[in-house]
């Protein structure tokens, strides 16, 4: 994490780490005056607290590498089996993210420097159906069909998801390897979405990362604890994850001149400022007209369509997008896009209205195609078993304990 | 580059950068006393000199991300076409690696922080055949068939290769994107091999990286300028690249206990030291016996088979391996391996005898399968056109100019 050594923090304060959650530290960091200097905090010292009110990997600054793995339950695995899996996965994730070797692993050398590793778990609808249907969130269902999407089954809904992120790609690969192996009696891999953003320290502090269209991506994200409480985390620390896989047609996009690209986005390419001026974080003036009386910001620009309308301020969520590139199909120049990860309390209220507005008329639609979609409930944070009451608001010692205990007895 | 800011160097010394080539700087750095502390050189300041006696990206410390792209010429492209492509590719690579925007690019924001970007070009046999058969190196042919390999055409020989490496995955993706687009009139992508090693600063200085078997990988690499001259660079700065794609069966490998893994490798897993003791860089004692009179280092261990015999000290080369992980096939836990990049003056003399010895009896063969193979001539380094005579030993201003000029007139 830029500018703050979580590991040093963890080591220095031991038991208190559970209380001062990742979110608190983060907010403190992000509220500091912006610093455009380089990152000099050694990555070898960087670790993210695992236990806390909510899971890590959500308000954690995006680490360079993503392995997002969708898993389906093997035949015959019931709610009790899921609980056993969650108990062992939680324990192993707690060890890996702290740079300790999980009990079942013979490879202590591979886990020494977690490099801000986070492992975040989500439940698909089916987990509730088999384990505790009575408490299934009402928003936990497929995102409604929207115009233009071309969803492919191979990137569809799964029973479980692990979002594994690290600033070291070897650590990221190893953590996926370990978790897959640890869960092999219960689940099989359905898909793996591998993504990347800028490396730790590779862009100046305070610089919003760019996607492969050259857009800064994440400008309007929540920053303060209060914004996270409003938009992302429920009172118990749970949230939701919507995964949209979005193919981006770089070849066509790059035929546009810069002015046309900026019209499509609604922002300047160089600094991400709204076309009506100011800097990246200034509000756009949607009523501004140019010398010919035309709107400066096109009503169908990506920014204009994505903005919450005045009467729906709740249409905000956390974007945690990752780029992907794959070998191009024969005859193509590229095969690239976004693994668009959206975290919010309630997708029906916060996410889907924005998606629908975008798919209806966003100028960027000409160069983007949604090819995958899935939705997960993200269990609250956890507390280490046997520890004090610090940690998850509900005292869960493993992911989803409260939900899965409904299947007991 | 750990511990040395190339960018600062480049900026500070301007025209002299061509003389003090990457290799000189590197050697200076690597000969320093080893420092186990963390890396604190800001990655935003890191750039690698493009022009020099040999191409960058060979003796450059391995950057975190690899895009290795194989290209085939489009129908009708002759030697003159290749020369035109090389002229524009060299120019664009020179700009990108310095953090400057190539002339043809509308995306200056994407290239600002190269993060040790290197772009290294290689010629397959066919380039000589069509442009200048008389100067084709005698070793430029397919690696001879060896036992156990299961080569797949999709990872086979191509006309050209670009090895693109950066410590920032976005920069690495963007550089590939730009180069592919810039070359689209001349070449089409045949394959793309995407790999990774530890992130910049994610392991302590002096730590040899590990592959996904947990082995330290690269211990015996050349380090001094003299070793590079002996093993890697011809007098004109050219060299060769052998690419072997090696699938690794993690699932079976991890069924072994640690002692069995160490026997197979011939080294200790924790620190990479030979099983006969000392540290990672100490020579193994191949004659040592244990208390039962058995060899401490198995004669068929990977280390023993890879070592040059006493009468063939020339069987050494530069290993620059990258890990890969891909989505597992249905029912599998993993799909991982190595993109094994070997640089040497003469593969017939240095590489192939080692490969043959390994494929005959290396214990590691039980868990590895060679699935791809290709060989390239790596043109010497270049000098910026219009500059002084600094740079490439032959004064080439673009990759392979001397070879391709044979087709002129």
């Amino acid at each position: 994490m830029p500018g703050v050594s979580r590991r040093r923090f963890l080591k220095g304060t031991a038991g208190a780490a559970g209380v001062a959650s990742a979110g608190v530290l983060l907010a403190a960091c992000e509220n500091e005056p912006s610093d455009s200097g380089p990152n000099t905090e050694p990555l070898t010292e960087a670790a993210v607290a695992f236990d806390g009110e909510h899971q890590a990997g959500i308000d954690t600054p995006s680490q360079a590498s993503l392995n997002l793995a969708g898993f389906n339950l093997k035949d015959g695995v019931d709610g009790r089996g899921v609980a056993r899996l969650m108990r062992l996965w939680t324990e192993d994730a707690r060890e890996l993210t702290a740079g300790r070797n999980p009990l079942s692993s013979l490879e202590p050398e591979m886990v020494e420097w977690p490099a801000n590793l986070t492992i975040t778990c989500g439940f698909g609808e089916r987990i509730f159906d088999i384990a505790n249907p009575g408490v299934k969130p009402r928003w936990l269902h497929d995102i409604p069909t929207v115009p233009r999407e071309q969803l492919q089954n191979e990137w569809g809904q799964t029973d479980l998801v692990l979002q594994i992120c690290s600033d070291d790609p070897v650590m990221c690969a190893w953590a996926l390897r370990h978790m897959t192996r640890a869960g092999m009696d219960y689940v099989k891999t359905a898909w793996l979405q591998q993504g990347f953003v800028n490396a730790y320290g590779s862009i100046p502090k305070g610089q919003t990362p760019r996607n492969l269209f050259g857009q800064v991506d994440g400008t309007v994200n929540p920053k303060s604890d209060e914004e996270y409480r409003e938009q992302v985390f429920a009172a118990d620390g749970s949230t939701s994850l919507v995964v949209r896989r979005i193919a981006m047609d770089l070849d066509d996009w790059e035929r546009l001149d810069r002015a046309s690209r900026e019209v499509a986005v609604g922002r300047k390419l160089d600094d991400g400022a709204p076309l009506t001026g100011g800097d990246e974080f200034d509000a756009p003036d949607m009523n501004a007209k140019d010398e010919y009386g035309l709107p400066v910001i096109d009503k169908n620009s990506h920014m204009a369509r994505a903005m919450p309308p005045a009467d729906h301020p709740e249409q905000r969520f956390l974007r945690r997008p990752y780029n992907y590139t794959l070998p191009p199909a024969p005859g193509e120049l590229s095969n690239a896009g976004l693994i668009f990860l959206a975290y919010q309390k309630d997708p029906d209220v916060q996410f889907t209205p924005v998606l629908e507005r975008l798919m209806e008329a966003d100028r960027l639609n000409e160069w983007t195609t949604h090819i995958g979609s899935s939705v997960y409930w993200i269990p609250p944070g956890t507390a280490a078993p046997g520890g004090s009451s610090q940690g998850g608001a509900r005292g869960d010692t493993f992911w989803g304990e409260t939900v899965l205990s409904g299947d007991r007895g």
Side-chain angles (χ1 to χ4, degrees), chain A residues 29-268:
Chain A
C29 177
E30 290 183 347
N31 288 336
E32 281 168 10
S34 105
D35 175 358
S36 61
N39 249 308
T40 54
E41 185 70 18
L43 191 48
T44 41
E45 296 294 310
V48 180
F50 179 80
D51 292 301
E53 293 197 349
H54 55 77
Q55 290 190 57
I58 301 166
D59 62 0
T60 309
S62 297
Q63 305 96 321
S65 295
L66 166 74
N67 275 324
L68 185 78
F71 297 93
N72 287 328
L73 298 181
K74 289 192 165 179
D75 291 345
V77 175
D78 60 9
R80 284 187 188 82
V82 175
R84 283 194 298 273
L85 172 62
M86 286 304 126
R87 198 181 294 270
L88 74 87
W89 261 4
T90 305
E91 190 176 315
D92 285 5
R94 184 180 288 125
E95 296 300 292
L96 288 168
T97 54
R100 296 185 299 254
N101 199 41
L103 272 181
S104 59
S105 164
L106 289 178
E107 299 86 17
E109 297 85 6
M110 300 300 284
V111 306
E112 219 168 327
W113 300 287
N116 289 321
L117 173 69
T118 55
I119 304 179
T120 313
C121 183
F123 289 11
E125 189 175 5
R126 185 159 167 251
I127 300 297
F128 286 90
D129 292 343
I130 66 168
N132 198 342
V135 299
K136 180 163 75 175
R138 64 184 156 25
W139 49 256
L140 187 55
H141 53 73
D142 290 350
I143 297 293
T145 300
V146 289
R148 302 170 196 266
E149 69 184 358
Q150 297 179 26
L151 302 186
Q152 299 168 3
N153 283 338
E154 61 176 314
W155 304 116
Q157 184 64 48
T158 62
D159 297 339
L160 290 164
V161 73
L162 290 179
Q163 177 202 275
I164 300 177
C165 297
S166 171
D167 280 312
D168 179 19
V170 178
M171 184 71 242
C172 193
W174 187 256
L176 172 65
R177 169 69 191 148
H178 177 85
M179 297 295 281
T180 304
R181 183 176 61 180
M184 64 184 284
D185 290 341
Y186 303 94
V187 291
K188 48 185 190 256
T189 304
W191 44 246
L192 173 60
Q193 306 201 41
Q194 300 179 294
F196 55 90
V197 294
N198 292 109
Y200 184 83
S202 68
I203 60 176
K205 271 187 205 170
Q207 173 83 30
T208 308
R210 293 176 188 277
N211 63 32
L212 297 173
F213 278 175
Q215 290 172 268
V216 296
D217 207 336
T219 302
V220 298
N221 269 345
K223 288 171 187 65
S224 66
D225 268 5
E226 190 185 339
E227 287 172 313
Y228 271 99
R229 272 194 303 271
E230 279 172 8
Q231 299 175 35
V232 182
F233 296 117
D236 68 356
S238 67
T239 180
S240 74
L241 167 63
V242 176
V243 180
R244 301 287 290 190
R245 191 171 177 91
I246 306 175
M248 290 162 59
D249 186 347
L250 298 186
D251 302 350
D252 263 6
W253 171 253
E254 291 166 12
R255 291 202 181 97
L256 297 179
D257 60 23
R258 283 177 65 90
S260 304
R261 298 182 199 181
E262 290 178 337
V263 167
V265 176
R267 294 181 177 275
K268 289 201 287 181

Side-chain angles (χ1 to χ4, degrees), chain A residues 6-18 20:
Chain A
R6 296 281 182 82
R7 189 164 204 178
R8 187 175 300 161
F9 177 73
L10 281 171
K11 285 180 169 170
T13 61

